[in-house]
Structures are given as C-alpha cells and as structure tokens.
Amino acid sequence: MADNSAFAALIHDGLFDPSPKESILRVKDAVAKELTALDSTARIKSTDYFNHTFAPDFVMSWPDERSRRVYLRMAYDLDALVDDVALIDSTDPLIFGLTESESIEAKPRVDEVIADSDAMFTEPAALEKLIDRKKADSTANMLSNALAQGGKGSFVGNEAVELADVVQRGFQSAANVETMGTAEAIGAISARFQGQQAWRMNRVLQAVWEGSEGPLSTFPGTADVSGRLNIESLSYLLKYMRTDDKGFWRRVGRRLTLADLESLNFSEPNIQNLIQANLDVISARATIVKPDPLGVDEVPLGGRYRWSKRGRHVTFEAPNLFAVIGSAKTALSDVDEEAAAAVPVEAFMGRVGETDLVEVTLHSGPEHISVKSDEGAINKERLRGVSATFGGSAEVAQALVSSRTGRVTVDLPERSGTGKTQSKVRMADLLMTTIPLVVDVPDDVRKGIEEHLKYEDDNGERPLDLLALEAGEARGEVRALSGGSPLPVPPPFLALEAFTEGVFETDWDSPASE
Amino acid sequence: MTRIEGESAQAKGADGAQRAKRWLESTTRVNAQWVNPNPPAVAKLTFPWPHGGQNFSFDLGGLLKFGGYDGHEFFAESKNYAEPGDLPKHYSKFLAQCYVTYSLIPARSDHFMWIAWSPHSITDWSKLTTAEYVRTHVVKHRERVFGTDDEGEAEALVNDDIVSEVASRLWLVVLSKKQETLVISKEHRGVIDKYEAEKGD
C-alpha cells in the first residue's frame, strides 16, 4: 500500500477485520464516507450486498433523479476482476477497487473491458487525492462532483488529480482567453466524462471564456450558442466553485437577470458573491419594503446585509427590514400589503438625505399637490412652504426620485418603489432609492445599505444618461440624439400644480401602466 | 449507451471458487462475499485443526438471503474437477472441517456447501449427508480432530449432537457448465436487483 490517506487506510483495515460482519460494516462505512466527501450532493444509499457479482453495494443518487450504481471489488485476482467487471449489468457503473496497488495493476485489463461504456473504475487513494485537493482548488471541487456523477474510464493512482490539473489550467486559460490550455481541458473533459457532465463542464468553461471577453467564434470547443450561461451551469458554479474572487463572479454574471436569480438556490453562499459582483448589470423594476422591527424574519446566517429569497422572490435583507424585489410591480402581487400610511412632510424630509427628488405629491384629505423640479433635488424649504398651504397637515404620498440608472416612483403608503417604464433601473439603485424613503432607517443602517449596494459601472463606462432623457421627455423637449448633445436645458423650475380629488398628475408609472 | 459486454463470454479465467460464487449469486439468494485466496477473505474462512497445529480453510463464505434462509451464514468448498478422481478423499476431509467449524462457531455455521462439477461416491450418494457418514469421516480424521490415532478412542470422543447438526446443514451441489448458464435471465435479475437497490426509498 503506497498511500497514507485516511479513507484508503480505513478501507484497508476494515477489509482485514477477521469478523466478516464487522469487516463489511467498516469497509462500507468508509467507502460511503469517501463517496460523500467526493460529492456531498449525492445521496449514498448502501444496499444489503457486499462484493456481489450482480448487485451494487451502493446507489448514488442526485436531486435531479439521476443515479449511479457503485460496485465494490477486490482486485487481487485480476482474471476474476476482469470477468466480474464484464458481468456488471449497468450502463455507467462506478467500479470501486478496494485496494490501491492491485487496482493500479488491474487498470490496463479493466480499461479494455470498459473502453466502450460509460463505466468508471477507481480506487480509494485516487479519489482521496482529489478530495484532499478540494480544500485548496475550487475546480477540483467541481471536478469531483462531475466525476462521481459522470466520470468514465479508469481513475487510479494520480489520474484523478492529473485530470484536475488539466481542468484547472483550462479554467485559468479560459479566464485569459488562451486557446491552448482551454482546448486541452476540453479534450480531457470530453474523454473523461459522460455526455451530460462533459457538456456541463464545457459550458462552464465557455462561460468563463465569454466572461473574459473571449469571442464565442474562437472558443476551442463546441460552443453553446444559446447566448447565456444557462441556469444549470450557473447553479453548478454556485454549488461547486470555492472562490470569492469578485473578478470570477463578474465574468460569469455579465448577463445575469433577476429572473435568473429567482431560479437559483440562495442557500449557496456563492450567491452573495455572484450578486454583489454583478450589481451593475442586474435590473429590477419593483420592490416592496417590509419593516421587521423585531428582526423575527431576519435570516439567521450571514451578514447584516445580504441577499435571500422569500418564496420565489429575491429579497434584500438589512437590519430590521427586508425588501422584496420583482421584475414588475405585478410580479409582487402576492406580497402582503402593509397597512402603512402616508408620511408627514417633516418626517419625510428627515428621510430624504441626499436623495434627488424630482417630484413629490403631497396630500391633505382629498387635496393633492404635485411639486416638481426639472433639475436636481427639490428645494426642501420650498417643499415645506408648499406643505404649509395645507395648514401643516400635509403628508407625502408619492415621490419621483432620480437614481443613477433611472427614475423610481416611490409610493410611501405601499412602501414600494417602481422603476419608470422606459428606464432600466439597476436593482441596487431601486433599493438604495426606495428603502430610505419608505421606512425610518438609522444612519448606520443607511450607510450599510449604501455600502452593500455600491457598484462600479462595467468597464468604467458611464451608463446611458436615462435621467436626462426622461427629464427631457417629461417636458416634451426634443433631444438632438444624433448630434450627441441635447438642446440647452431650460432653467430649473418648480412646478406647483394643485388638483382636487380624483385629478392626478399621471406622468408617473403606476401599477396599471405596467 | 454501451453496456459492458461479457456475460456470455463465460468467466474463462475464473477458478472453481469464482464460478461457484457467480452461480450462487445468480440464484439471487446468495451473497458469497468472501472468496479464497483473496487476502481479506483468508482470515474469515480459515480455522485451526484442534490438533497438529495446522489450519484449514473453506473456498467461499457469505450469506444466504430471503425466505427461510435469510441472513444465514454459509461456508462452501468448491471442487472444479471434471472427473470424480480424489473427490471422495476431499469430501471426507470437508466433513471433518465442518465438524470442527461447527464446534468452534456454531452460531455462524448455518450451512456447509459442497459444490463440485462432478458427483463422487455414487454408490453411497444417498448416504453422503447422513449423520452416520459424517461420524465415520470425522473419526477418519481423528488425529487432527481429536489428537489420537486410536479409532476406538476417537469414536468415544465424537460429539453426536454436533455430528447431527453438521449433517443437517450439508448441501451437495453438482454443477455443470451448461447448468451455470441456466439461471435467471439478465433482464429478470435486473428487476430484482433494481427492487433490492431501491427498496426503502
């Protein structure tokens, strides 16, 4: 025995226990633990058999209903082993030689027998080397899962870690858009994995290649041209990558959408990395903020600011509040409505902070007043003055706010924020704009939210100035798009329009308009 | 997807013990977990003769499954000889081994199987599993079993209860190449294996 690995040693010691019953228990227990260490997503079910010619010792199964049978084999008698392997009636068995050196010796003969099938032959020390590597190598983590589910051919001695080397180089090469290393990995993946696993691994490599601005036309494998990293591949990365490298998560998430997020498993810690690295591309149209004063609904794990999922909705969590996020206001129709009320003007002013108010609707009883500014923030003193016309009883019902990527209609009684129809407001901006206006947020929490939702624009390019465009449209301006410069912006003005009950300025988005 | 091929290419390299294991397991009622001379099996199938300082070992061991035999342990001797030859001599020793094994570990000695590819001692065939026949051959191996070459002394030392227990646990199985192929079909065995593998889900 040429290894000091714990699983291999446990299996070896168990094999030589003189009690048949104890021996089987010990060996199967150690093998089950090793398989679990190889792929923690697998359910490892032990059968009532041991070293049986036809019946498997274990059945590994996965949440997607796939399964694989595991046959334990003694590899001392090479002829018997080869004959036994040939008798296994399964399309893709995992044949587990119980001892290392005999399995290495048997490899050439076993290879001949399993050459045209999806069978895999391995031994405890070979898998253990890969398992040990998982701690330091995120690709080994992904690889070991793929191997358990769809490895084919022999993996004895150093073959599993050698494949991990090739795949790791492939990921590094794909991140640098280098053909040679990527192609080598693709070749190895194709040779060493069954179809579905090979496709999945290749798709992840392609995602890294594309995320690194590599043209699909030069990707050295069969490119998936569906255009986006599909959910399956993304889920795979979330589950098996062990990296918090923002650059990596940014590369694979450049086309991430809110709908993608809604399909992903938020119990994976990597989801936080994925979202944080891609705040600059994830758009959202609507959010409803819920106070959680006692923190009873706070997610017990993770930081004070984090992403989670409630029901099917992506949710942003902060101390004593959470914000449910949707691709449209109608998508949040199942979120319970709060019995919130409009906010007195003074209280509203306390919440505004640095927020750029474009328009604010005050009301007092049946009367509504819309206060509107075409440039920058509404002068607070002016707003106070307007509210005074109601005799100090005015409350704020709605506000139109400009964010970095578009305007947001904030409805205080609903505690909601809705992006303007024409704009593509980023989820982070929607939240940063809405939350402080609809609930009372302590300064430290407000800063925490801003810090958590801060992002840099992709490639340092300034996004399209939707705010200016919308402002122009709102005033019926003609914008000289082809010339690249807008017509001179008129001087700032404050519109004061008084309405009576039932009459309302409808320039804003409302649920009905969506 | 291609399956591994080979069931029809019958176990060319296997010796009698491996072939016995495959036949037993193809009945779906046996798990012959231990096969000599695989090193992990040796200690589980080897026992000491009470006298003379030597050991003997069976070729196979494991468990029977289902029905009235469920969970029973068995030991088996397999003799892959085409002719009877010295099978009577081997069978005589096998009986003495069974006697010793039962004396040592009665709780694990549920069944003793003699598996051969040829019958032997045809004229005594009906007597081969009787207590009387067992007794005779235990006495025959008296030096290793009782440490005496005196037949009368050995006769007195034989435990007839053990002899009866051993006789009731004996199986004579005579296989042939063709019989090895007349087992449950791969398809039907697959149904049973699937059921067994998935039961409890």
Side-chain angles (χ1 to χ4, degrees):
Chain A
M1 301 301 294
D3 69 273
N4 298 312
S5 51
F7 290 120
L10 282 172
I11 291 166
H12 182 265
D13 290 351
L15 264 178
F16 285 88
D17 189 310
S19 158
K21 198 173 174 183
E22 279 301 307
S23 181
I24 292 168
L25 281 174
R26 288 174 63 185
V27 169
K28 291 194 76 170
D29 182 59
V31 173
K33 283 177 176 156
E34 179 159 29
L35 293 174
T36 303
L38 183 71
D39 180 5
S40 60
T41 69
R43 176 179 175 235
I44 315 287
K45 187 191 169 194
S46 180
T47 68
D48 296 334
Y49 297 91
F50 175 74
N51 185 34
H52 193 280
T53 309
F54 308 108
D57 293 82
F58 297 98
V59 179
M60 300 178 82
S61 58
W62 290 272
D64 64 359
E65 305 293 313
R66 285 181 309 110
S67 64
R68 190 172 208 188
R69 295 176 172 214
V70 180
Y71 296 80
L72 304 186
R73 286 289 174 265
M74 295 196 199
Y76 299 97
D77 182 340
L78 186 53
D79 288 332
L81 172 68
V82 170
D83 286 340
D84 254 4
V85 166
L87 291 171
I88 291 172
D89 181 28
S90 171
T91 54
D92 64 342
L94 194 163
I95 302 155
F96 192 101
L98 286 167
T99 49
E100 180 188 10
S101 53
E102 288 78 11
S103 298
I104 291 172
E105 198 178 328
K107 171 194 157 62
R109 295 270 315 268
V110 174
D111 274 346
E112 288 173 20
V113 181
I114 65 176
D116 296 327
S117 75
D118 280 339
M120 171 174 158
F121 175 61
T122 189
E123 46 89 9
L127 294 185
E128 177 144 352
K129 287 171 192 152
L130 184 64
I131 290 165
D132 289 345
R133 186 175 165 139
K134 284 167 69 172
K135 296 163 195 160
D137 173 9
S138 55
T139 53
N141 201 60
M142 204 184 311
L143 185 81
S144 63
N145 161 266
L147 212 58
Q149 297 189 33
K152 68 175 185 179
S154 287
F155 293 90
V156 297
N158 291 320
E159 287 178 301
V161 284
E162 283 165 2
L163 178 62
D165 282 337
V166 173
V167 173
Q168 187 184 35
R169 282 200 299 275
F171 273 97
Q172 286 162 353
S173 299
N176 294 323
V177 198
E178 291 167 2
T179 304
M180 192 178 289
T182 310
E184 187 192 8
I186 288 168
I189 287 167
S190 166
R192 304 297 256 146
F193 291 98
Q194 299 166 18
Q196 189 182 2
Q197 291 303 324
W199 183 89
R200 186 186 273 186
M201 294 283 286
N202 274 344
R203 188 62 190 80
V204 174
L205 261 178
Q206 183 190 322
V208 176
W209 176 275
E210 285 183 278
S212 306
E213 308 300 328
L216 206 51
S217 57
T218 60
F219 181 65
T222 305
D224 171 28
V225 291
S226 62
R228 303 175 56 236
L229 183 65
N230 68 3
I231 291 300
E232 188 192 14
S233 303
L234 202 49
S235 300
Y236 197 66
L237 285 170
L238 288 175
K239 187 178 273 294
Y240 300 111
M241 285 304 287
R242 291 289 174 268
T243 180
D244 52 8
D245 173 10
K246 191 174 178 184
F248 174 82
W249 292 111
R250 193 172 164 85
R251 283 197 293 278
V252 300
R254 291 292 75 195
R255 298 185 181 187
L256 198 62
T257 67
L258 187 65
D260 291 336
L261 293 179
E262 286 168 352
S263 303
L264 293 172
N265 181 357
F266 274 59
S267 64
E268 302 296 347
N270 279 330
I271 194 84
Q272 308 295 328
N273 293 324
L274 179 70
I275 296 177
Q276 288 304 119
N278 293 289
L279 286 175
D280 60 322
V281 297
I282 305 167
S283 298
R285 181 54 56 77
T287 183
I288 295 176
V289 182
K290 299 284 205 176
D292 185 19
L294 299 177
V296 288
D297 280 343
E298 276 187 38
V299 178
L301 298 174
R304 300 176 78 207
Y305 306 93
R306 64 193 312 277
W307 304 95
S308 67
K309 200 145 76 169
R310 290 173 186 254
R312 60 190 171 87
H313 300 301
V314 175
T315 307
F316 174 68
E317 313 266 347
N320 301 118
L321 66 90
F322 60 90
V324 186
I325 304 157
S327 55
K329 189 77 178 290
T330 49
L332 300 178
S333 57
D334 59 332
V335 178
D336 292 340
E337 289 191 7
E338 291 283 330
V343 176
V345 171
E346 274 310 311
F348 178 76
M349 287 303 179
R351 292 178 179 178
V352 169
E354 301 299 315
T355 306
D356 288 340
L357 299 172
V358 176
E359 188 166 343
V360 176
T361 299
L362 310 177
H363 76 92
S364 177
E367 290 186 309
H368 287 65
I369 295 176
S370 179
V371 183
K372 194 172 180 182
S373 168
D374 252 6
E375 62 162 29
I378 292 173
N379 184 299
K380 290 182 187 174
E381 287 310 314
R382 184 67 175 146
L383 195 56
R384 281 197 181 93
V386 174
S387 75
T389 62
F390 284 121
S393 63
E395 292 181 319
V396 180
Q398 282 189 314
L400 180 63
V401 182
S402 71
S403 79
R404 187 172 169 183
T405 47
R407 289 183 173 184
V408 176
T409 300
V410 177
D411 187 304
L412 282 88
E414 286 183 351
R415 291 199 178 115
S416 69
T418 310
K420 292 276 287 181
T421 308
Q422 305 96 320
S423 64
K424 202 171 181 186
V425 180
R426 299 291 179 267
M427 178 173 73
D429 295 329
L430 178 73
L431 294 169
M432 217 152 21
T433 304
T434 305
I435 293 171
L437 290 185
V438 298
V439 289
D440 289 316
V441 181
D443 285 346
D444 65 320
V445 173
R446 185 176 188 135
K447 280 181 189 157
I449 292 172
E450 285 171 3
E451 189 61 31
H452 202 75
L453 298 177
K454 193 169 64 181
Y455 65 86
E456 289 173 12
D457 290 329
D458 196 7
N459 299 329
E461 293 171 5
R462 252 183 109 238
L464 180 63
D465 189 358
L466 293 169
L467 170 61
L469 187 61
E470 286 169 14
E473 285 170 348
R475 294 194 305 275
E477 281 183 0
V478 177
R479 194 173 176 82
L481 290 173
S482 57
S485 61
L487 295 174
V489 177
F493 71 97
L494 190 66
L496 178 64
E497 300 163 65
F499 296 86
T500 52
E501 187 178 11
V503 182
F504 202 78
E505 167 68 55
T506 56
D507 186 29
W508 307 350
D509 266 351
S510 66
S513 72
E514 291 188 8
Chain B
M1 215 176 296
T2 312
R3 281 171 193 270
I4 302 169
E5 289 301 335
E7 184 159 29
S8 56
Q10 176 59 255
K12 292 182 286 288
D15 64 8
Q18 282 293 342
R19 285 171 64 178
K21 169 180 165 70
R22 276 175 208 147
W23 179 79
L24 286 166
E25 291 182 340
S26 66
T27 66
T28 76
R29 301 289 303 278
V30 180
N31 188 178
Q33 297 143 338
W34 308 106
V35 181
N36 248 327
N38 283 333
V42 173
K44 299 164 180 86
L45 300 173
T46 301
F47 302 94
W49 287 109
H51 298 275
Q54 290 190 315
N55 294 325
F56 65 86
S57 64
F58 293 99
D59 290 328
L60 291 169
L63 290 175
L64 303 189
K65 302 183 76 67
F66 314 121
Y69 297 135
D70 196 38
H72 289 192
E73 278 194 67
F74 76 94
F75 294 100
E77 193 70 10
S78 123
K79 298 295 178 194
N80 182 20
Y81 303 162
E83 303 287 334
D86 51 3
L87 284 180
K89 191 175 78 183
H90 289 300
Y91 184 68
S92 171
K93 185 180 161 207
F94 169 70
L95 294 177
Q97 291 175 357
C98 296
Y99 179 90
V100 171
T101 304
Y102 186 90
S103 307
L104 292 171
I105 48 166
R108 288 183 47 206
S109 301
D110 297 316
H111 303 277
F112 296 109
M113 295 182 179
W114 172 264
I115 302 170
W117 274 257
S118 168
H120 67 272
S121 310
I122 297 298
T123 53
D124 285 334
W125 186 255
S126 62
K127 301 175 191 164
L128 294 181
T129 57
T130 62
E132 186 186 357
Y133 198 88
V134 172
R135 190 179 214 285
T136 301
H137 290 273
V138 169
V139 170
K140 191 171 182 179
H141 294 273
R142 56 189 172 272
E143 284 192 30
R144 285 190 280 194
V145 178
F146 301 114
T148 177
D149 62 355
D150 185 295
E151 190 172 344
E153 191 181 341
E155 289 277 3
L157 290 169
V158 172
N159 183 325
D160 283 316
D161 291 339
I162 294 177
V163 165
S164 294
E165 292 296 339
V166 168
S168 70
R169 286 162 164 74
L170 286 171
W171 297 56
L172 293 181
V173 179
V174 179
L175 291 175
S176 70
K177 266 191 174 178
K178 283 203 168 177
Q179 189 182 344
E180 285 176 72
T181 65
L182 192 61
V183 293
I184 184 170
S185 70
K186 186 187 243 186
E187 292 75 17
H188 288 96
R189 191 182 64 225
V191 173
I192 296 171
D193 290 346
K194 189 171 182 336
Y195 170 79
E196 284 301 307
E198 294 173 0
K199 73 180 178 186
D201 282 346

